[in-house]
Amino acid sequence: MFDLRRLRLLHELSMRGTLSAVADALSFSPSTISQQLAQLEREAGVPLLEPDGRRVRLTAQGEALAAHAARMLAADEAARAELEMLQPSLAPVRLAVMQSAAHGLVPRALDVLAETEPRLRVEIAELAPEEGLFEVAARGFDLAVAEQYPGHTREQRALLERRTLGRDAIRLAVAHDDPATSLADLRDRAWVMEPEGTAARQWATQQCRAAGFEPDVRFALADLTAHVRLVASGHAVGMIPALVFGGDEPATRSIDLPERPRREIFTAVRRGTADRPGIRAVRAALEEAFARVPEISAGRGPTG
């Protein structure tokens, strides 16, 4: 019989690519990972790893066993979820959230959970959507709150189940005393956007190009609160989702973009854990929290 803990190490290696990344994720030493995978090779009776420069990679047999490992781990989680449903206590839920959700949703969701599941422990870390979804698939977290922009669908991972929370308006943001009234008015301005490679950056750049200009991105920052402060102080303009303000009075003036676009906010969990009572409770709390944010789910808000 295969040892499930060693199978998880093989699965982690297939996801993360290097022994050091697996060691960092699981808080083991690389030598311990290597020893355990060597033992798994002996159990399998076939080579699972082969040298690749200074690293290792999975052999064809290793890839096949890693795919089986993913299914076995999912079955293990499903069994644990069913057992959890039969007992009164709830296992902790590890939640990865993007920054705007940390501002606009998490406090309200925790308020809901304080009423509905006061004994549930929720551990939260802020991660970019791409990283959060990966970590849920890799079992680093139990649930992610992520987004996708119009026309930019995120990768569909077979292990993950998605559920839409709602849609969030994206608008131009300028200082309150800025005279601009449209995207075309901002062609010669300094812009703040998220870093290169993010879906938000790609989408915002495309909006500017569709309006006939290339944005002068002087500030590439992941911190959306920094976006708001740069815009409010008149040093930049940007495109800011309404969820960043969490229903509070915006520090900037908003201008509608053409066709009034909205991004989709969703939660993602592994399919084997979707029925865990704690995860169901957190998902329900996030849905109620989204509904409690004034005018967000309907995509409305102050405009210029």
Side-chain angles (χ1 to χ4, degrees):
M1 295 178 63
F2 289 115
D3 184 294
L4 193 61
R5 291 168 298 181
R6 295 187 185 112
L7 287 173
R8 183 184 177 188
L9 297 180
L10 185 69
H11 171 70
E12 290 279 348
L13 182 57
S14 73
M15 294 284 293
R16 299 183 184 277
T18 67
L19 293 173
S20 60
V22 175
D24 289 343
L26 301 182
S27 300
F28 291 143
S29 68
S31 62
T32 298
I33 303 293
S34 295
Q35 291 167 10
Q36 292 298 309
L37 289 175
Q39 179 60 37
L40 182 61
E41 276 194 325
R42 289 190 287 272
E43 292 173 357
V46 294
L48 301 177
L49 308 175
E50 60 186 5
D52 183 16
R54 299 181 64 180
R55 300 181 177 182
V56 295
R57 64 182 176 189
L58 299 185
T59 63
Q61 297 96 324
E63 294 281 2
L65 186 55
H68 283 290
R71 291 190 287 270
M72 293 179 203
L73 289 165
D76 176 72
E77 287 187 321
R80 291 178 185 276
E82 185 171 344
L83 293 176
E84 188 179 330
M85 293 173 65
L86 300 175
Q87 62 185 16
S89 61
L90 298 176
V93 176
R94 300 162 299 167
L95 177 61
V97 299
M98 59 187 185
Q99 190 182 70
S100 57
H103 287 296
L105 291 182
V106 165
R108 287 180 170 86
L110 292 176
D111 288 342
V112 173
L113 289 169
E115 300 169 4
T116 60
E117 296 291 350
R119 293 185 298 172
L120 176 62
R121 178 183 173 90
V122 181
E123 300 170 359
I124 299 171
E126 180 188 308
L127 295 178
E130 297 86 351
E131 187 180 358
L133 292 170
F134 173 84
E135 287 295 339
V136 172
R139 291 172 171 78
F141 286 82
D142 299 310
L143 188 152
V145 179
E147 38 78 331
Q148 58 186 18
Y149 280 75
H152 289 70
T153 303
R154 290 200 178 276
E155 176 186 359
Q156 295 287 343
R157 295 180 180 271
L159 292 175
L160 300 186
E161 175 197 289
R162 294 187 187 183
R163 183 185 299 172
T164 300
L165 285 173
R167 286 173 172 77
D168 179 25
I170 314 157
R171 298 186 179 89
L172 289 172
V174 298
H176 280 291
D177 59 357
D178 193 301
T181 60
S182 70
L183 179 56
D185 293 337
L186 305 178
R187 65 173 56 246
D188 297 321
R189 303 293 188 84
W191 282 81
V192 58
M193 291 186 182
E194 293 192 38
E196 287 277 8
T198 62
R201 174 66 171 267
Q202 294 170 5
W203 184 85
T205 300
Q206 287 299 319
Q207 304 313 298
C208 294
R209 289 173 179 170
F213 68 93
E214 192 71 19
D216 178 9
V217 183
R218 299 186 195 177
F219 311 101
L221 305 170
D223 185 349
L224 295 178
T225 59
H227 287 219
V228 173
R229 290 180 179 178
L230 283 169
V231 172
S233 62
H235 294 297
V237 296
M239 298 183 193
I240 299 179
L243 188 60
V244 171
F245 302 107
D248 296 333
E249 185 67 25
T252 62
R253 182 170 67 85
S254 297
I255 303 170
D256 280 333
L257 283 162
E259 301 182 11
R260 299 188 175 187
R262 293 185 291 169
R263 61 176 184 165
E264 179 189 357
I265 312 297
F266 64 91
T267 59
V269 302
R270 292 184 299 282
R271 296 185 185 279
T273 65
D275 288 331
R276 271 182 50 191
I279 288 179
R280 290 209 316 264
V282 172
R283 270 187 146 176
L286 287 166
E287 289 164 3
E288 185 168 342
F290 196 96
R292 289 184 181 185
V293 179
E295 299 184 329
I296 293 296
S297 59
R300 298 187 299 274
T303 60

